[in-house]
Amino acid sequence: MDYKKGGKEIYDDIKGLEDIMNHNYRYLWLPGTSYIPMPSNLEAWKRRRRLENNLKQMIEKRKESGSYGDDLLGLMLSETDNVSSDDKNFQYTTQQVIDECKTFFLAGRETTSVLLSWAILLLALNQDWQQKAHEEANAICGNNNPIMDCLGKLKIIGMILNETLRLYPPAVGIVRQAFKDLKLRDDFIIPKGVNVVVNILSVHRDPRYWGSDADEFRPQRFRDGISRATNNHPYAFIPFASGPRACIGQSFAMLEAKVVIAMMVKNFRFNVSKGYRHAPLVSTTLRAQHGIPILVERISGN
C-alpha cells in the first residue's frame, strides 16, 4: 500500500474520531445509544472501518516483506508468533496489534500536543522562565538541534514541563475498577465492581500537597525532583497515572516534549495575543476551548 497516503488517512481518521469523542463527552448518553445510526455514530463507524483497514494493510505489507523490522510495529508483530509461557492458550493476535496501534496513535498524539500547547502558553505568560529556557537550550545544545545526549541536561525545561503537567494535565482523570471489596475507612467501603474516578486536576492543585501557591506557575518547585516537590507523597503528581497501569509512553512523551520546547525557545520568542481567552475545557483531554493564539517572533541571529 501507499504508506504516505495510508498514514495520512490514519491521522485524519484519528483526528476525526477525537473530535467525535470530544463532542460526545459533553453529553449524558443512555445505554445502547452507541448502536443507533445517528450522524455522529455513522461518521465514527466509517472512520473506524477505514482506520482498521489501513492498519491491516500496513501489517500485511510488513509480513509479506519477510522481516517485521525492529520498530514498535515490528516488535508487536513478532509477539504474534509467540505463545505465552504462562498461558499456553494465549497468543497475541493481529487484531490486538491493531488495537495497540490505535491506542498509541491516539494517546501519543493528542496528549503530547495538549501538553506542548499549555507549555507554550505558560512560557508566553512568564517571560522570565521563557528566557531561562532559552538560555539553557542555547548553553547545552549550542547551534545544534537537541539530541539524546543533551536532553537529560535540560533541567529547567524539564521543570517547566512538569509544572505544566501539574497545572494542566492532558488527562484530567483516570478510572479504576475495584476487583474486590475495599475498606478505606471504617465507614467507607468501595464494593467490588465499582468504578472509581481519580480527579488528577484536583490532586495537582490541592494545597495540602502543593502549598498555598498551588494555583501558581512555579517550576522551581521541581528543582530537586518530583518527590521533593510533592513532599514525598507518591500520588500527589500523577499526570501519567501510577503503578502497573501507568502510561507506557510517559518517558517517550517527555523526551519528545523536551525536544520540541528546546528547539522552539532557541529560535523564537512567544507572547500571548490580546485575543486569547482563558477557558480550559475538560473533554477527553484538557483543551483550550477558544484555542491559544500566540504571537511568535524569530530571535535575531537564529
Side-chain angles (χ1 to χ4, degrees):
M1 71 175 290
D2 185 339
Y3 277 87
K4 187 173 182 180
K5 177 177 180 294
K8 184 179 184 306
E9 285 187 348
I10 285 173
Y11 276 105
D12 286 345
D13 287 332
I14 286 289
K15 180 64 170 63
L17 289 169
E18 285 176 7
D19 292 340
I20 293 170
M21 282 193 301
N22 286 323
H23 176 269
N24 291 346
Y25 190 86
R26 306 171 196 175
Y27 302 97
L28 177 65
W29 295 91
L30 296 174
T33 51
S34 60
Y35 300 99
I36 299 174
M38 300 181 296
S40 62
N41 284 341
L42 291 172
E43 178 68 14
W45 297 341
K46 181 183 75 173
R47 288 186 177 276
R48 193 177 297 121
R49 283 194 302 269
R50 185 167 61 192
L51 174 62
E52 293 218 357
N53 286 335
N54 275 323
L55 289 171
K56 284 178 182 177
Q57 290 181 48
M58 283 189 173
I59 289 171
E60 290 169 1
K61 187 75 173 178
R62 185 68 67 90
K63 288 183 174 181
E64 290 170 2
S65 69
S67 172
Y68 291 152
D70 57 1
D71 57 8
L72 180 60
L73 177 58
L75 293 173
M76 288 194 294
L77 286 176
S78 65
E79 287 299 313
T80 61
D81 295 333
N82 300 325
V83 177
S84 171
S85 58
D86 298 327
D87 183 353
K88 299 300 182 183
N89 296 318
F90 175 78
Q91 189 168 12
Y92 205 47
T93 66
T94 299
Q95 183 59 48
Q96 287 173 315
V97 173
I98 291 172
D99 292 339
E100 292 289 358
C101 287
K102 289 191 290 186
T103 299
F104 275 100
F105 276 125
L106 179 63
R109 173 187 176 279
E110 168 75 0
T111 52
T112 305
S113 65
V114 169
L115 165 60
L116 291 170
S117 298
W118 289 118
I120 290 298
L121 172 66
L122 289 169
L123 288 173
L125 290 170
N126 297 272
Q127 293 290 321
D128 54 337
W129 282 99
Q130 185 177 161
Q131 182 61 29
K132 290 177 182 178
H134 167 76
E135 292 172 357
E136 179 184 66
N138 274 334
I140 292 176
C141 303
N143 295 324
N144 302 315
N145 288 330
I147 58 175
M148 186 61 69
D149 290 343
C150 73
L151 291 179
K153 302 175 184 177
L154 297 174
K155 302 297 184 182
I156 291 175
I157 291 177
M159 289 158 53
I160 290 169
L161 289 172
N162 278 332
E163 183 70 343
T164 303
L165 286 168
R166 186 184 72 82
L167 290 171
Y168 299 99
V172 297
I174 51 177
V175 181
R176 295 291 183 263
Q177 186 177 90
F179 289 120
K180 62 180 181 180
D181 291 343
L182 295 175
K183 185 176 181 180
L184 299 185
R185 297 196 306 261
D186 289 340
D187 59 342
F188 194 91
I189 296 176
I190 299 175
K192 177 182 177 181
V194 168
N195 287 336
V196 179
V197 179
V198 179
N199 190 325
I200 296 175
L201 195 58
S202 296
V203 173
H204 282 190
R205 289 174 178 257
D206 193 323
R208 290 176 297 176
Y209 311 125
W210 302 99
S212 59
D213 59 355
D215 291 328
E216 298 177 16
F217 178 72
R218 295 185 64 249
Q220 64 266 33
R221 69 176 87 238
F222 287 97
R223 64 178 175 269
D224 295 321
I226 292 173
S227 62
R228 293 288 184 87
T230 60
N231 292 321
N232 293 314
H233 194 294
Y235 301 114
F237 185 68
I238 48 173
F240 299 101
S242 185
R245 296 297 301 277
C247 175
I248 193 174
Q250 59 181 304
S251 297
F252 175 75
M254 290 301 288
L255 288 175
E256 189 177 36
K258 275 189 175 183
V259 169
V260 174
I261 293 298
M263 292 181 68
M264 294 181 76
V265 296
K266 268 169 52 69
N267 296 289
F268 302 99
R269 185 173 291 108
F270 307 101
N271 285 283
V272 181
S273 168
K274 292 181 179 179
Y276 174 68
R277 288 185 292 165
H278 192 64
L281 175 67
V282 174
S283 56
T284 50
T285 54
L286 185 62
R287 294 181 166 194
Q289 184 174 358
H290 307 296
I292 303 179
I294 294 290
L295 302 176
V296 182
E297 175 189 357
R298 181 178 287 278
I299 296 174
S300 178
N302 287 30

